[in-house]
Amino acid sequence: MSTNTSLRSLLSSTTLPQNEAKILLAFILEKHYQLPRSALLSRDEMELSPAALVQWKGIEASRLAGEPIAYLVGKRGFHDIELYVAPGVLIPRPETEILVEIALREIQALNRPANILDLGTGSGAIALAIAHSAPQTIVTATDQSLEALAIAKMNAEQLGFSDRVQFAQGSWYEALKEAIPFDVILSNPPYIAAGDSHLSEGDLRFEPASALTDGASGLSCLEAIILQVHPYLKPGGLVAVEHGFDQSDAVVNLMKAAQLQEIQVHKDLAGHCRAVSGRKSKS
Ligand code: GLN
């Protein structure tokens, strides 16, 4: 017989969508009992301890109030790694994996140890996914936010990449002490325009505004990154940036203005133009 604190009855009585309730309850099970998610089925008569029950109620209420699942469970999968995330950083999005794929293709084509720059790293997602998938690669990751850098460093340590990924604090290229040119420069900067209604919807309400919006047209950070890229890029080097679904033409024009070549637009899984890459001439 299932009591009202059994896993089965907690799942059937919650007003959360079932898929979300299962993720959150699985998190409680792992944390309090080191049990896998399958215990939701195999041990569905199990009753939560008072402490676990209090945490479940808290987490359920937070989710009902809109808090992102990634912040509640403190992690999010990205490319082939799992990152610790907290309210000080943007929650990594699947579309940002496009930048990782662009970089990995370039690294493979270079066929030598490459050095990569990730501007505005947040949780470290782009930098660490590349370090994971391209073991010879040296990565520099910057962020203006000390809170974000602390989280990114924690992730680098956790994943064992502290020796190949270095961090620097500052706004875009100002974070770099000297202009050592890179093979590939990547960025997922804040590109949402101030006042865009998406900022007051869903997960975005809980994420750091500084990671989402430039407080202006949405293009100012993309502009700073693209127009100043030359001293930081090797001849023949590649720059790729993520942008909003309606910013592709503007970003292509910025790349043209910066005299970059082989300009390419990359689509996300939803079919939106989501990233643009360009190459510095070889001579
Ligand atoms: N991709 C995020 C979103 O639209 C925005 C992140 C960003 O501004 N770089 O939810």
Side-chain angles (χ1 to χ4, degrees):
M1 204 194 65
S2 119
T3 65
N4 58 5
T5 61
S6 72
L7 297 177
R8 190 198 306 171
S9 83
L10 292 175
L11 275 178
S12 69
S13 62
T14 184
T15 53
L16 284 173
Q18 282 295 296
N19 61 335
E20 295 191 0
K22 283 178 187 165
I23 294 170
L24 296 174
L25 203 48
F27 166 71
I28 304 269
L29 280 182
E30 204 221 317
K31 197 167 155 196
H32 287 261
Y33 305 96
Q34 290 79 52
L35 282 171
R37 184 187 166 116
S38 56
L40 289 177
L41 280 175
S42 63
R43 304 186 59 170
D44 69 341
E45 304 261 318
M46 180 182 148
E47 296 200 27
L48 291 188
S49 68
L53 195 60
V54 165
Q55 200 189 7
W56 161 249
K57 289 288 168 205
I59 239 174
E60 184 189 37
S62 299
R63 181 59 193 150
L64 286 168
E67 269 187 56
I69 290 181
Y71 289 159
L72 293 173
V73 303
K75 61 189 175 194
R76 174 56 48 101
F78 178 77
H79 205 251
D80 284 341
I81 57 175
E82 186 167 88
L83 295 148
Y84 164 68
V85 292
V89 290
L90 186 82
I91 298 165
R93 309 281 203 274
E95 54 266 31
T96 305
E97 295 178 6
I98 297 171
L99 294 184
V100 176
E101 292 298 336
I102 291 171
L104 291 177
R105 277 200 298 276
E106 182 72 2
I107 291 164
Q108 196 170 20
L110 284 169
N111 199 21
R112 59 168 167 75
N115 66 337
I116 311 286
L117 175 62
D118 173 18
L119 292 167
T121 197
S123 63
I126 297 170
L128 298 171
I130 293 170
H132 174 83
S133 294
Q136 305 284 312
T137 309
I138 305 290
V139 189
T140 300
T142 75
D143 210 289
Q144 191 161 31
S145 156
L146 285 170
E147 201 181 348
L149 282 177
I151 290 174
K153 282 180 192 168
M154 205 185 296
N155 278 319
E157 221 158 277
Q158 185 68 31
L159 292 160
F161 300 143
S162 300
D163 53 339
R164 287 192 293 120
V165 182
Q166 55 176 24
F167 295 94
Q169 192 267 331
S171 172
W172 312 127
Y173 303 106
E174 286 165 24
L176 306 171
K177 303 282 168 290
E178 38 189 340
I180 298 175
F182 293 88
D183 292 299
V184 182
I185 297 180
L186 303 163
S187 185
N188 172 23
Y191 53 66
I192 301 177
D196 186 309
S197 61
H198 292 99
L199 293 168
S200 45
E201 290 168 16
D203 284 3
L204 280 70
R205 293 169 294 166
F206 295 85
E207 294 179 286
S210 63
L212 293 167
T213 176
D214 60 355
S217 68
L219 284 168
S220 63
C221 298
L222 287 159
E223 194 174 296
I225 290 163
I226 295 167
L227 297 183
Q228 294 165 47
V229 76
H230 278 280
Y232 306 95
L233 206 50
K234 288 185 191 170
L238 193 74
V239 55
V241 293
E242 183 176 319
H243 58 72
F245 70 96
D246 55 356
Q247 293 171 325
S248 187
D249 290 348
V251 176
V252 166
N253 284 334
L254 287 171
M255 293 240 178
K256 285 183 182 162
Q259 295 182 338
L260 293 158
Q261 302 171 345
E262 292 178 38
I263 298 170
Q264 284 180 23
V265 173
H266 307 261
K267 289 191 172 165
D268 63 19
L269 288 173
H272 295 127
C273 295
R274 184 55 71 182
V276 178
S277 60
R279 192 179 294 283
K280 180 169 167 168
S281 69
K282 288 218 165 70
S283 49

